[in-house]
Amino acid sequence: MTDTGLSAAERFQAARVRSRSRNLELFRADLRFDLDAFQFAACDALDQGRSVLVAAPTGAGKTIVAEFAIWLAMRQPTAKVFYTTPMKALSNQKYAELVEAYGESEVGLLTGDTNVNPRARVVVMTTEVLRNMIYADSDLLDDLAWVVLDEVHYLADRFRGAVWEEVILHLPTEVRLVSLSATVSNAEEFGDWLQTVRGDTDVIVSEDRPVPLEQHVLVGNKMVDLFDSSGAAATNRVNPELLRLVGGGSRNDSRGGHRGRRGRGGYVDRRGPRTEKLHREHIARMLDERMLLPAIFFVFSRNGCDQGVRQVLRSGVSLTTREERNEIRETAEYHCRTLLDEDLAVLGYWEWLEGLERGVAAHHAGLLPAFKEVVEDLFQRKLLKVVFATETLALGVNMPARTVVLEKLEKFNGEARVPITPGEYTQLTGRAGRRGIDVEGHSVIQWTDGLEPQAVASLASRRTYPLNSSFKPTYNMAVNLIEQFGRQRTREVLETSFAQFQADRSVVDLARKVRSQQESLDGYQRSMACHLGDFTEYAALRRRLSDLERTSVPGGREASHGARQERQSQITEVRRALQRHPCHACPDREAHARWAERWYKLKRVNDKLVQQIRSRTGAVATTFDRVTDVLVQLGYLVPSGNDASAGPDGELTVAAGGRRLQRIYGERDLLVAECLEAGVWKDLTPAQLAAMAATIVYQPRREDAPGTEHALPRGAFRPALDETLTIWSRLDDVERDARLSGSQPPTPAIAVGMFRWASGSALDDVLRSLDLAAGDFVRWCKQVIDLLDQIKNAGDPELAETARRATDAVRRGIVAYATV
C-alpha cells in the first residue's frame, strides 16, 4: 500500500494512520508481501486495542490478522495468546507453523489428548479446551490478552456450535477477540452481537477471492465455460454453447423455464438427451493435459473416494516423475515409521503407498490419521496431483488446489439426498486457486442428466451463507454457570447469546408483519360487518358446516351405523343454527361471507405468527429453566439457604453430584453423572470400562456397518449395561416430562471391538469384528479416551484408577501414534 497517486489530503490521512499504527508499520516491514486492504483494516483495528470479526473467502489470507495479534502480544512482557481451532488436525498444523516462527519454548498445544507446554506465551488448542478452562477458572487464563477464534463460523454447527458462544460470552471482558470466518451473508448481524457482548468490535468483510475463479462444466468429454464469456458474464448468463450441448437451448430455456417440474439444486424432473459421463481416470488425464493439476475431486462418500483412487490406478495413470516418487516414498515411510509391521497390511499401506507414488490419494474421516497427515503434507508440497476427498476437506486443513471437480451437486445428509447449498458450493470451490502460485483457480462441474443450466448458474453465482446459532443450554453448562453467577444472573447471561439475539431480531420482523396484517384484518372485519348481527359468529357456523360435510366419518367405510347417524345429526343441528342466525336473512350475506373467508384465512396465518413470537421470546432462558428443573429434581442443584421450597425464581446451589457433573462434558453428560452417582460401573475391569465408554460415545451412522451386539463382554459388563440403559430410560422420561427433547439410547455396537482392543487383541481382529475403517476406529478410541479422562477426574478413587488403566490399554498401537 504505497502513497503513489494519492492526493495531498489522502497522503496526509495515510501519514496519520501510520503514526497512529507504528506497531502495524513495524509488522509490515518484516513481511515478504504487502497487506491487502481488508488485512490492513483488521490489523489497524487490533493495533487500536479493538476486537475484530474478519469474514473473507478461503485462502484470502485471514490468518495474517491472527499473526499480528500474536506479534502484538509477544512485544509485551507477559501477555498471552490462545489460538483456537475447531479440529485437532488444524491445531496440530497451526502449532507446527507457530513453533517454526517463535520456537518450541514459546508455543504450546492442548487438544484434549495432547498436552505440550501449556504455560507458553502462545497456546494452540481446540475450542472445547478453552471452554473447559473458563468453567474451571484455570490459572492458565492469567495474563491472557488475545483469543483467536479460527473458523468461527463453526458456531452454526449443530453438535458443537454452542461451544463458540460459551467462549465468547464467558471470556474475561478485557480479553480481545480475533474472530476469523468464511464469507457469511450476515457478518454484520454477527458483528452487532459481538459488539453487544464483547464491546469494541470492528467487522471487516471481504468478498474478493485472492485468485479469480473460472467455472466450467464437463459435458461428456467436452469442457466448456459455465458462464457466457462474450462480455455478458457479469450478468451470470449461461454460456449458449453449454445450452446447446445439453439440449437446453430451446425456446423454453430462453425464458428460463422447462416443461418438466423443477427441483432444488439445479435438478429437474424431465427427459433430455442422455450425456455419457467421463470416467475419473479420463478426467485426471484431461486436467493433466490442460495443466490444471493438482486437483481435488469432491466426492460425497468415503467409499466413492476410495473407488476413485482404485479406478485411476487400474487405468495405469501415473502423474509423477521419478524424483517426486522417491520424495513421496521417503515422506510416507517417515510419517509411518512407528506403525507395526504386522499392521501395515491390515491398513492397506502398500496399496496406499502405490497410489501416493503415482500422485493419487483419498482424504476422508475414515482414513488413518497418519495417512491423512501424509496426504496433506504431500499435497501442500505439490507432490500429489489428484485427491478424492469428502466435503470435510473444504472446512479443514489448508490444501488449496488449482482445480476443484464436483461430480454431483447433491449429497446424502444422513436422511436423504439433498442438493448442496450455495454456501457449500462456495466452500468447496474456495479450495480452487493457490495464492502466489495460480493466476486463476478452476472449478469443474461434471454434467449429470437432469441438471438445469440456469439453476446450476444460479447456484454457482450466489454467495448466500448465513451464520445461524445452534446454541442451547446443557446440563454441564447450567451447573458451571450457576456455580459462577447464580441462577438469575445465568439466565440473564444466556439471554445475551447469539441464538437469542437472532430470535429477538426475527421477533421484531414478525411483530411488524403481525401489525401490518392486523390492519388488513380490521379492514376485512369492517367489510363483513352486518347490521343484523355478529357475522363473525355466523361465518364460524358456515365453516363448521363445511368441515362436517367435507370430512369423512371416523372409520371410513367401516364406520358403524351409529357413527353415521351421529355425523348426520351434527350437520342437521349446525344447519338449523345457521338458519336461525339473524345474519342468515341479510341480503348482502354472500358478499359478507367472502370478506369473512378472507378474514379467517389471514387470521389463521396471523395466529401462527403470534405463536412464533411467543415461542422465540426468551427461548434460550426457557430451555435453561427446563434444564434447571431436571437438575433440581435429580438433586444436582438445591435451593440456596434455608428455604427448601424455593420457587422457580429462587437461587440455587450446586450440590455434590453437581460438582461431579461440572467435570463431565459431552452429549451424555447427565447420563454419565448418574451412572457415577449410582456406582453402576464400579465393578468393571479396565477393558470392560473402555467398552462401556464406547457404548456411551458411539453414534451409529447409516453408512457404518458396525459389528453385531452379541458376544458382549461377560462378567460385570452385562448387568452394568442393563443398569446403564435403565438409568437412560428413566432420564429420558424425566427430560420429556420437562419438555426437553430427550436422547437416543446408548448402543453397545462397538463395545465388543473396544473390549478386545483394550484386552490386547491384534488390530486385524478388532477391525474385522467391527467392520470399521481404521480412521473411524481411531476416532472412536480418541473419544473413549476423552470420556475415560473425565471419569478419572470425576469418579471415586477406585474407579478413577480403573479409568486410568483403561486409558493406557486403549492408547496403544495406531491409537497411540494418532494422539501424539
Side-chain angles (χ1 to χ4, degrees), residues 209 213-217 226-227 298 300 394 404 406 408-409 420-431 442-445 456-465:
R209 283 179 52 98
L213 179 67
E214 296 293 325
Q215 306 191 75
H216 316 281
V217 179
L226 172 58
F227 296 113
F298 279 113
F300 299 121
V404 162
L406 299 178
K408 292 182 179 179
L409 296 180
I420 65 172
T421 65
E424 288 169 331
Y425 181 89
T426 302
Q427 285 282 350
L428 296 169
T429 56
R431 289 290 171 193
H442 298 265
S443 70
V444 178
I445 298 170
V456 173
S458 175
L459 174 74
S461 61
R462 288 168 62 200
R463 291 293 176 267
T464 54
Y465 186 56

Side-chain angles (χ1 to χ4, degrees), residues 449-508:
D449 291 325
L451 284 174
E452 183 184 5
Q454 191 58 55
V456 173
S458 175
L459 174 74
S461 61
R462 288 168 62 200
R463 291 293 176 267
T464 54
Y465 186 56
L467 181 62
N468 294 315
S469 172
S470 61
F471 182 84
K472 61 179 181 180
T474 66
Y475 298 111
N476 170 275
M477 185 193 305
V479 291
N480 274 298
L481 293 181
I482 287 174
E483 172 80 1
Q484 284 190 344
F485 303 119
R487 185 184 199 175
Q488 294 306 318
R489 174 71 181 129
T490 294
R491 185 188 283 111
E492 293 169 8
V493 168
L494 293 179
E495 286 180 332
T496 64
S497 67
F498 187 44
Q500 192 59 55
F501 186 81
Q502 288 190 307
D504 289 344
R505 286 199 162 191
S506 68
V507 163
V508 171

Side-chain angles (χ1 to χ4, degrees), residues 641-652:
N642 299 320
D643 186 5
S645 60
D649 295 325
E651 279 301 339
L652 298 169

Side-chain angles (χ1 to χ4, degrees), residues 375-654:
V375 171
E376 292 159 8
D377 183 20
L378 293 176
F379 198 82
Q380 288 164 2
R381 288 158 53 193
K382 311 181 194 66
L383 294 171
L384 274 184
K385 313 302 179 182
V386 171
V387 170
F388 293 92
T390 54
E391 72 269 27
T392 52
L393 176 59
L395 300 170
V397 294
N398 181 28
M399 280 180 62
R402 178 167 293 175
T403 304
V404 162
V405 179
L406 299 178
E407 296 188 343
K408 292 182 179 179
L409 296 180
E410 62 177 12
K411 66 176 185 177
F412 184 72
N413 68 355
E415 297 176 359
R417 297 206 68 81
V418 296
I420 65 172
T421 65
E424 288 169 331
Y425 181 89
T426 302
Q427 285 282 350
L428 296 169
T429 56
R431 289 290 171 193
R434 299 163 299 176
R435 189 170 191 174
I437 300 173
D438 298 319
V439 177
E440 59 196 15
H442 298 265
S443 70
V444 178
I445 298 170
Q446 192 168 13
W447 189 262
T448 304
D449 291 325
L451 284 174
E452 183 184 5
Q454 191 58 55
V456 173
S458 175
L459 174 74
S461 61
R462 288 168 62 200
R463 291 293 176 267
T464 54
Y465 186 56
L467 181 62
N468 294 315
S469 172
S470 61
F471 182 84
K472 61 179 181 180
T474 66
Y475 298 111
N476 170 275
M477 185 193 305
V479 291
N480 274 298
L481 293 181
I482 287 174
E483 172 80 1
Q484 284 190 344
F485 303 119
R487 185 184 199 175
Q488 294 306 318
R489 174 71 181 129
T490 294
R491 185 188 283 111
E492 293 169 8
V493 168
L494 293 179
E495 286 180 332
T496 64
S497 67
F498 187 44
Q500 192 59 55
F501 186 81
Q502 288 190 307
D504 289 344
R505 286 199 162 191
S506 68
V507 163
V508 171
D509 293 334
L510 289 173
R512 189 181 299 118
K513 194 169 183 179
V514 165
R515 285 196 299 273
S516 172
Q517 291 183 168
Q518 188 60 51
E519 293 176 7
S520 299
L521 285 170
D522 293 343
Y524 294 163
Q525 201 151 24
R526 287 193 295 271
S527 297
M528 72 179 183
C530 178
H531 65 289
L532 296 178
D534 183 352
F535 203 87
T536 304
E537 186 180 79
Y538 180 73
L541 287 170
R542 286 176 63 126
R543 277 193 304 278
R544 170 69 174 150
L545 178 62
S546 176
D547 290 344
L548 286 170
E549 292 176 335
R550 186 172 60 249
T551 57
S552 59
V553 181
R557 293 181 179 178
E558 306 299 323
S560 66
H561 178 69
R564 294 175 186 276
Q565 279 192 321
E566 173 65 22
R567 167 60 58 82
Q568 189 55 49
S569 83
Q570 289 175 347
I571 291 174
T572 302
E573 185 179 336
V574 174
R575 279 179 178 161
R576 285 175 182 161
L578 264 178
Q579 291 164 358
R580 289 196 298 266
H581 198 282
C583 293
H584 192 66
C586 179
D588 297 323
R589 182 183 68 196
E590 293 309 310
H592 293 332
R594 285 192 291 273
W595 285 110
E597 190 60 27
R598 293 180 190 175
W599 178 89
Y600 172 73
K601 288 179 179 178
L602 188 58
K603 179 76 163 56
R604 194 165 50 181
V605 171
N606 222 38
D607 287 347
K608 287 182 180 178
L609 291 179
V610 170
Q611 185 57 43
Q612 285 185 48
I613 290 173
R614 287 175 183 160
S615 67
R616 294 184 188 187
T617 303
V620 173
T622 299
T623 303
F624 168 72
D625 288 338
R626 292 171 181 172
V627 165
T628 303
D629 290 343
V630 169
L631 293 173
V632 169
Q633 182 178 339
L634 296 175
Y636 290 88
L637 297 171
V638 294
S640 296
N642 299 320
D643 186 5
S645 60
D649 295 325
E651 279 301 339
L652 298 169
T653 300
V654 178

